[in-house]
Amino acid sequence: MGKIKIAVLGLGTVGTGVVKGINRHKQKLEVSLGKEIEIRKVLVRNAQKKRDVDLSPGSLTTFIDDVYIEPDLDAVIEVMGGVHPTYSYVKEFLSKGIHVITANKALIALYGPELTRLARDNGAQLLYEASVGAAIPVIHTLKHCMRVNEISKISGILNGTTNYILTQMLERNCSYESILKEAQALGYAEADPSSDVEGFDAANKLTILCRLCFGDSPLPGEIKREGITNITNEELQLVNKLGYKIKLIATAEQVNGKLLTDISPTLLPLEHPLSSVDDVLNAVSITADLAGELTFIGKGAGELPTASAILEDLYSILQFPMETWNPSYHRKIELLHDVGLETAWFLHFNSTLSDNAQDLAQLTYLLNRQQLLVNQTTQVSIDTDLISNGLIIESSTPQTIELLKRQFSRVVTARKIEGNVKVHEHAIFSS
Ligand code: NAP
Ligand code: HSE
């Protein structure tokens, strides 16, 4: 039986999952590919670290040159993360015509088109299914099953760490910090978790999706982005009492021929299909002219779900090594900058029991002055003397909301209105 020789760059959460996945399905892979899969080299930073998987003797290395000189590699699986030195490693393999599979959204968001061209010019493939939504086969779907449809919108929950944090903060009322630590221990978070919680990771993923859906994309840094670090336990409880959940929603939508992109915490009505997409689950919804709305849900991070996408890419490359993929079209897309579109907003402020009625009266006065309509209100007790008030304001611009917040702090000097989480467009108000 011939051999398929592969190298794995990185043996952390995902690399370990890849080795486990290959071991678990070795026989099945070998029978259907007709060759034995051999992991020739595994690149790590620290050779002394205890590993969760057994490797063949001599395969672990800390030197990239050991991988470069390995003869006859069929494919390299890049799961070490980061843009540098990964970019130069990936370029080196693709230049030699060696297929590369990567889970690295930061790399693909920045260099995907260039690396794809390099792969094509050298008769290799660059596949990156694991880079968006981990186990969800959304990239394959967009590349191969949505070539004729005109896609007008793509949106969803693109980060498992933040979705896990928001879910657990609400369900267990534990602190943000303690749940972030759990997400790290579960292997969901990026090496630098600020990438998750500040929305950078979702921006990388949205960039990759935009290229596939619209033929072009803003760079991750051009996407309007807000993370979840300001979301508090009280906020989650208040919105839940009002019939909503807060989710970090990423959206890219064509509006009058321009692309509007946004990543921000958003109130979803409890009856909205994405509001039950909890914990590490991700969801991607595609709106297309022929197909209508398609929604994919699945595990968006973690060892085996991510390895699943990588191993399906590996199988596809080994079965169809000559396949090339060309985008249906390239086009330069103009960005629509959100200059403050009107939407509904959730706001809240804390008050002592004795002052609460007066504070609410002041707020009502200011709301009336700005002609702002309040749709819903609720309260939760924080302790014996402190109340948190939550309210949803119908249709207003962010500028008006900022003005209201400033005026409130001037009138009620001891208090501050917190938050300005926008409400999802699908929320239907009864008033
Ligand atoms: P990780 O647990 O931090 O593992 C990174 C691995 O790469 C470690 O084994 C590390 O070596 C090695 N490494 C890092 N820098 C290196 C360098 N310069 N030279 C040699 N080895 C290096 O990361 P991960 O969570 O597996 O994520 C890997 C990639 O997959 C990232 O691009 C991430 O964004 C992406 N991804 C992750 C998930 C997930 O759920 N975790 C899901 C989808 C995509 P040591 O072990 O010696 O430190
Ligand atoms: N840190 C990422 C997440 C890993 O939590 O979604 C999967 O891309």
Side-chain angles (χ1 to χ4, degrees), residues 14 103 105 130-134 157-164 183 187-193 195-196 201-202 205 280 282 299-302 306:
V14 184
K105 40 275 154 98
S131 66
V132 180
I157 298 169
L158 299 183
N159 183 271
T161 301
T162 45
N163 207 36
Y164 180 80
Y188 300 157
E190 295 301 301
D192 172 2
S195 174
D196 297 289
D201 179 72
K205 292 166 175 167
V280 76
N282 280 193
K299 288 188 178 160
T306 312

Side-chain angles (χ1 to χ4, degrees), residues 13-29 37 39 53 303-308 310-312 314:
T13 302
V14 184
T16 302
V18 165
V19 177
K20 285 183 182 170
I22 290 177
N23 290 341
R24 188 188 286 189
H25 293 295
K26 205 167 175 43
Q27 207 189 355
K28 185 175 175 184
L29 284 166
I37 294 199
I39 302 177
V53 282
E303 188 182 88
L304 293 180
T306 312
S308 158
I310 290 171
L311 294 181
E312 293 299 339
L314 177 67

Side-chain angles (χ1 to χ4, degrees), residues 134-428:
I136 306 173
V138 63
I139 292 179
H140 182 90
T141 304
L142 288 170
K143 276 181 167 178
H144 300 285
C145 314
M146 297 296 290
R147 308 219 34 155
V148 178
N149 273 270
E150 179 72 20
I151 297 173
S152 53
K153 180 173 176 180
I154 185 146
S155 70
I157 298 169
L158 299 183
N159 183 271
T161 301
T162 45
N163 207 36
Y164 180 80
I165 293 173
L166 293 173
T167 305
Q168 294 298 320
M169 276 173 76
L170 173 66
E171 282 182 6
R172 287 158 45 210
N173 200 17
C174 294
S175 73
Y176 163 84
E177 289 78 13
S178 68
I179 298 174
L180 172 57
K181 284 203 181 96
E182 281 180 25
Q184 290 177 293
L186 288 162
Y188 300 157
E190 295 301 301
D192 172 2
S194 64
S195 174
D196 297 289
V197 298
E198 300 286 1
F200 295 106
D201 179 72
N204 287 333
K205 292 166 175 167
L206 194 61
T207 295
I208 296 171
L209 292 176
C210 282
R211 275 192 203 118
L212 297 170
C213 292
F214 309 116
D216 191 14
S217 171
L219 285 169
E222 295 173 311
I223 292 175
K224 188 165 155 277
R225 173 194 52 73
E226 190 188 326
I228 63 154
T229 48
N230 291 328
I231 306 288
T232 61
N233 295 68
E234 282 120 65
E235 237 169 354
L236 290 164
Q237 282 175 30
L238 284 166
V239 303
N240 203 246
K241 273 186 87 177
L242 290 169
Y244 297 86
K245 273 189 191 170
I246 297 181
K247 298 282 181 193
L248 185 67
I249 300 290
T251 308
E253 184 171 13
Q254 296 213 56
V255 181
N256 301 328
K258 294 185 180 178
L259 192 66
L260 183 65
T261 54
D262 179 68
I263 293 165
S264 51
T266 305
L267 258 69
L268 285 179
L270 291 177
E271 60 278 9
H272 189 282
L274 296 196
S275 96
S276 54
V277 174
D278 281 335
D279 287 318
V280 76
L281 290 179
N282 280 193
V284 185
S285 290
I286 301 163
T287 309
D289 65 337
L290 305 176
E293 189 163 333
L294 302 167
T295 300
F296 302 86
I297 296 173
K299 288 188 178 160
E303 188 182 88
L304 293 180
T306 312
S308 158
I310 290 171
L311 294 181
E312 293 299 339
D313 274 353
L314 177 67
Y315 185 85
S316 157
I317 282 180
L318 296 175
Q319 252 215 333
F320 310 108
M322 305 310 284
E323 182 159 302
T324 53
W325 175 82
N326 291 307
S328 344
Y329 56 85
H330 287 286
R331 67 175 165 204
K332 204 80 212 120
I333 206 148
E334 217 183 311
L335 297 186
L336 180 64
H337 294 286
D338 180 355
V339 284
L341 299 180
E342 284 208 359
T343 185
W345 301 92
F346 168 76
L347 303 176
H348 66 105
F349 70 96
N350 294 347
S351 218
T352 56
L353 262 182
S354 50
D355 290 340
N356 201 41
Q358 180 146 14
D359 291 350
L360 280 171
Q362 294 282 17
L363 180 63
T364 308
Y365 167 75
L366 293 172
L367 287 164
N368 286 339
R369 220 169 65 172
Q370 300 270 5
Q371 296 185 315
L372 290 171
L373 283 180
V374 173
N375 184 273
Q376 287 168 281
T377 58
T378 195
Q379 295 180 334
V380 291
S381 302
I382 299 178
D383 59 36
T384 45
D385 191 39
L386 207 59
I387 289 179
S388 196
N389 298 281
L391 60 152
I392 289 181
I393 296 181
E394 277 187 29
S395 199
S396 168
T397 62
Q399 291 85 348
T400 310
I401 295 294
E402 281 313 312
L403 182 65
L404 174 77
K405 286 164 89 172
R406 279 203 302 278
Q407 287 175 338
F408 185 76
S409 302
R410 264 207 303 272
V411 181
V412 187
T413 44
R415 321 258 173 259
K416 200 168 138 208
I417 297 185
E418 306 281 355
N420 50 350
V421 185
K422 72 172 185 212
V423 180
H424 193 269
E425 59 186 6
H426 283 173
I428 295 162

